[in-house]
Amino acid sequence: MQTPAELAALHKQTFNAAPKLYAAPGRVNLIGEHTDYSGGFVMPAAIDFSTLIAISPRTDGHFFAHSVNFNEHIDKPISELLTVRAKSWSDYPAGVLWALREKSIDVSAGFSLTIVGNVPLGAGLSSSASVEVATAFAVLGTLGIDMPLSEIALLCQRAENAFVGANVGIMDQFVICCGKQDNAVMIDTRFLTYTLAPIPPDVRIVICNSMVKHTLADGGGYNTRRAEIEAGLHILQQHRPEIVALRDATLDDLARWGSEMSEQSLRRCRHVITEDDRVLAAVLAFQSKDLTRFGELMHQAHLSFRDDFEASCPEIDILVNLANKQTGCYGARLTGGGFGGCTVNLVAADHAAAFTKAMHVGYLNATGITAEIYTSRASAGAHAISV
Ligand code: GLA
């Protein structure tokens, strides 16, 4: 991908204007899946793949965005852009402009954007949220508006929910705003507070891309799962009205009233309730540097994601099973929304190279697919870049 200086030069050449530059990372989630729209806990980290945006203001009311990755551009009056979805990459930056305008921020003068990124697409590493947050930082920076990070995260989530049409939670946008180098971020999604969990220096986050594409746009399995959870929640609330979200419910509640739910709702709710407990235990394990315990919790989380949430797929299960056989691997699980994408693996640093090699060979032999495998450190959240 282009360096920031190359991107600035490209932007200048296209628009004849000196840009400002912004970067936003992707993310990987260590543990805590599908808990972020039930007021629960998650533990993601920003990764060192990112979206870079060069931006300059316009005066003609147009939004001109050039995607280097897709080698495409859109050029539309803002008013037109914000009424119809294009069902393409441009919906993510457009959705953010839509959400800014909804917050009564004046975006009518228009902007020129050059966008490039290396977050793998459709891999469950939040390439979409990365583009959203980079766009929000870029537009707010250009307008000179200082907005709290949690508000930027909420704004980008709103763009994805209401404009793109994926009913996602807050995790991705939040960690992309608040990530910190060499730290995982334990987020309490009810209160939007977070604590940093330093990643021990002798461990690596290895991400294995199954190459089975996962997509959240238009919802698909994601929205169905969410609806199943809401149906289950509704039943619990009839008995215990003080339950505002599944975070407030217990396994005991499920034992008493789960029989009134569909089998699917019961399983989805059980996943969420047990996953919240696992995240809290995982934070303690990390704090006491007990990586073996952390890895066990990752494993339990995967089984719950696979069996109760039913959002894994055969290729991902092959990756997890292979990882569990490798020396130095503490834990492995499907990360992100599910239905394909990547596994996240916590691996002892001195075994990371051998682990990567064994995963390549084993996965190719089992599936005929060449996995992409990335070793990432936890990285910083979105920021301006000076060139
Ligand atoms: C996607 C969503 C998040 C979260 C995860 C599952 O990444 O964007 O809000 O729900 O799936 O944990």
Side-chain angles (χ1 to χ4, degrees):
M1 144 167 123
Q2 276 81 355
T3 62
E6 285 164 352
L7 186 69
L10 177 63
H11 186 92
K12 195 150 188 227
Q13 191 188 326
T14 318
F15 300 106
N16 197 24
K20 288 184 172 171
L21 257 66
Y22 296 85
R27 70 95 190 91
V28 68
N29 190 15
L30 297 184
I31 192 162
E33 228 61 86
H34 286 269
T35 49
D36 66 339
Y37 45 88
S38 290
F41 306 101
V42 292
M43 197 175 177
I47 52 177
D48 53 14
F49 291 94
S50 55
T51 303
L52 295 182
I53 291 188
I55 185 167
S56 53
R58 299 176 71 99
T59 48
D60 61 359
H62 274 230
F63 181 72
F64 194 122
H66 170 60
S67 161
V68 176
N69 296 68
F70 290 98
N71 194 20
E72 281 175 15
H73 71 265
I74 55 157
D75 176 16
K76 286 202 166 157
I78 297 242
S79 49
E80 204 179 297
L81 175 83
L82 303 189
T83 47
V84 195
R85 277 183 57 195
K87 301 206 174 203
S88 80
W89 60 270
S90 64
D91 284 337
Y92 298 98
V96 170
L97 283 191
W98 174 88
L100 285 164
R101 196 180 60 171
E102 213 199 25
K103 261 184 151 324
S104 303
I105 293 175
D106 184 5
V107 293
S108 61
F111 304 90
S112 302
L113 266 64
T114 310
I115 307 173
V116 68
N118 63 1
V119 185
L121 300 182
L125 299 177
S126 289
S127 53
S128 330
S130 166
V131 171
E132 289 158 6
V133 174
T135 305
F137 267 66
V139 173
L140 289 167
T142 304
L143 295 174
I145 296 174
D146 202 12
M147 192 182 272
L149 292 179
S150 56
E151 232 176 277
I152 298 179
L154 284 167
L155 181 131
C156 293
Q157 181 198 19
R158 172 105 185 104
E160 186 142 350
N161 291 167
F163 193 83
V164 177
N167 213 4
V168 295
I170 189 67
M171 168 171 72
D172 303 351
Q173 291 80 2
F174 195 93
V175 70
I176 289 170
C177 287
C178 299
K180 183 142 194 275
Q181 186 148 325
D182 297 325
N183 283 267
V185 185
M186 200 289 258
I187 307 168
D188 179 328
T189 65
R190 167 168 285 167
F191 298 108
L192 292 186
T193 51
Y194 66 99
T195 39
L196 296 175
I199 302 205
D202 52 353
V203 82
R204 295 286 173 272
I205 300 172
V206 184
I207 300 166
C208 298
N209 188 344
S210 69
M211 310 306 280
V212 177
K213 288 265 179 196
H214 122 125
T215 175
L216 293 182
D218 280 326
Y222 190 98
N223 284 357
T224 312
R225 291 295 178 278
R226 194 162 171 169
E228 289 162 349
I229 285 173
E230 265 147 30
L233 172 67
H234 186 64
I235 286 174
L236 296 181
Q237 286 171 328
Q238 285 167 359
H239 298 283
R240 279 188 54 210
E242 66 275 24
I243 296 178
V244 174
L246 271 194
R247 173 195 177 137
D248 308 313
T250 62
L251 284 179
D252 202 39
D253 295 326
L254 272 194
R256 291 179 70 182
W257 299 301
S259 59
E260 295 174 29
M261 300 175 188
S262 71
E263 178 64 22
Q264 280 88 347
S265 282
L266 173 62
R267 284 165 180 258
R268 312 306 181 235
C269 291
R270 189 166 56 206
H271 166 77
V272 173
I273 292 171
T274 56
E275 186 83 346
D276 270 338
D277 290 343
R278 282 187 289 269
V279 178
L280 295 176
V283 175
L284 295 179
F286 232 29
Q287 281 165 352
S288 55
K289 301 198 172 34
D290 187 349
L291 293 173
T292 305
R293 172 78 182 131
F294 194 96
E296 279 165 17
L297 291 160
M298 286 176 80
H299 185 59
Q300 287 168 19
H302 182 70
L303 298 183
S304 176
F305 206 3
R306 185 190 71 186
D307 300 335
D308 271 348
F309 211 73
E310 296 181 280
S312 189
C313 65
E315 293 83 354
I316 289 284
D317 293 336
I318 288 171
L319 283 173
V320 169
N321 290 338
L322 267 172
N324 286 334
K325 290 185 195 141
Q326 307 306 319
T327 313
C329 176
Y330 293 106
R333 52 176 290 277
L334 167 58
T335 187
F339 309 101
C342 293
T343 60
V344 58
N345 307 268
L346 219 55
V347 184
D350 49 2
H351 285 92
F355 176 85
T356 302
K357 199 163 171 208
M359 292 300 291
H360 257 302
V361 174
Y363 189 61
L364 184 62
N365 286 343
T367 62
I369 303 171
T370 303
E372 284 181 8
I373 302 186
Y374 328 106
T375 300
S376 174
R377 61 194 302 186
S379 71
H383 53 275
I385 303 181
S386 43
V387 272

